[in-house]
Amino acid sequence: MIRKDITFDNFMTLDADSRKELLKDREFMKQLVKKNMKKSRYLHSLSVADTCEMLAECHGVDPDKAYMAGLLHDVCKFPDEKTSGVLEEYLKKYDPEKLNSIQGGYHGWVAKYYLIEKCDYKDEEILNAIYNHTICNSDDKLSLILYIADKREPLRKIDDDILEIAKYDLYRAYEMLKDDVEQYVRGKNEGFVKNSV
């Protein structure tokens, strides 16, 4: 039975064994994530999770880890207006050198620390992929999979070959996306952090 009363704010009140089991339970985690974001963001997260799982199967990466990374990647895209203040507080506490860089990256960097703090999340591979999903500076396969899936999941309806290329060459797909992302960021006139793996 899924514990519908559990949120990110009270998750740590559970005992360690319950937390560990629930963090592996897809259906529970889907409900937990759903409470933390707008419906459109939740649907995007589900689509990213499915895309991550598909790409993981193409590249010998654990599909369950890939799915969870996709599901959790936008957990700090909160539905309210206070988002930037919360994100800045987390960055001040855990990663102050990221302040005043690309604000669009804040949610990914903070999500790593949010999941550790709110859920005692320990999977470093998943946390690293989430941390790098906006501006990717990690060359591990799971990070590349999440980076690509986030930008080209089917609900985005972007008509190019990047997902097909990613099925057999993650690095080539990453290089193609990297240029698009850098142009997008420059167009917003935000501080710039270069992608490099």
Side-chain angles (χ1 to χ4, degrees):
M1 184 173 97
I2 295 176
R3 296 280 310 269
K4 294 188 178 196
D5 58 316
I6 302 300
T7 67
F8 281 104
D9 290 330
N10 66 14
F11 191 86
M12 291 299 288
T13 63
L14 299 170
D15 64 88
D17 288 338
S18 295
R19 291 196 309 262
K20 188 175 179 181
E21 285 305 309
L22 287 173
L23 289 173
K24 294 178 191 173
D25 183 326
R26 278 190 189 191
E27 291 307 311
F28 170 79
M29 292 302 290
K30 284 163 52 174
Q31 292 306 311
L32 187 65
V33 167
K34 187 177 186 178
K35 295 174 189 174
N36 228 46
M37 58 185 60
K38 291 180 184 175
K39 183 178 180 182
S40 59
R41 180 65 47 191
Y42 176 65
L43 294 175
H44 163 72
S45 295
L46 292 178
S47 186
V48 172
D50 289 339
T51 305
C52 283
E53 186 173 41
M54 178 271 296
L55 289 174
E57 289 168 352
C58 295
H59 294 283
V61 173
D62 183 330
D64 291 320
K65 282 191 178 199
Y67 185 90
M68 203 57 68
L71 180 65
L72 295 171
H73 81 286
D74 275 351
V75 73
C76 287
K77 284 243 177 168
F78 305 116
D80 57 40
E81 301 300 319
K82 300 174 193 170
T83 296
S84 81
V86 171
L87 298 181
E88 287 172 1
E89 288 303 313
Y90 266 91
L91 284 178
K92 283 178 192 173
K93 182 176 179 181
Y94 293 108
D95 214 348
E97 70 276 4
K98 295 285 196 234
L99 283 168
N100 301 317
S101 63
I102 174 175
Q103 289 184 356
Y106 283 16
H107 74 280
W109 299 321
V110 167
K112 172 184 176 177
Y113 306 110
Y114 182 84
L115 288 166
I116 292 168
E117 190 176 282
K118 296 288 190 178
C119 301
D120 195 26
Y121 209 84
K122 295 183 189 303
D123 190 309
E124 286 297 325
E125 192 176 9
I126 291 172
L127 292 169
N128 181 61
I130 291 169
Y131 187 86
N132 282 287
H133 86 268
T134 302
I135 303 296
C136 191
N137 289 304
S138 178
D139 66 354
D140 72 273
K141 286 183 179 178
L142 184 56
S143 292
L144 294 172
I145 285 169
L146 179 55
Y147 180 83
I148 293 163
D150 181 41
K151 276 102 184 129
R152 287 302 186 270
E153 56 90 0
L155 294 179
R156 288 194 185 268
K157 298 186 186 312
I158 297 173
D159 187 21
D160 62 23
D161 295 331
I162 290 179
L163 265 186
E164 285 304 310
I165 291 165
K167 289 178 183 177
Y168 63 87
D169 191 338
L170 289 173
Y171 297 98
R172 183 168 169 227
Y174 163 78
E175 288 295 328
M176 294 170 73
L177 272 176
K178 177 179 82 161
D179 293 336
D180 284 353
V181 171
E182 289 176 3
Q183 287 176 16
Y184 173 77
V185 170
R186 283 190 179 107
K188 292 183 77 170
N189 293 319
E190 288 191 11
F192 189 67
V193 178
K194 189 161 183 64
N195 280 290
S196 63
V197 297

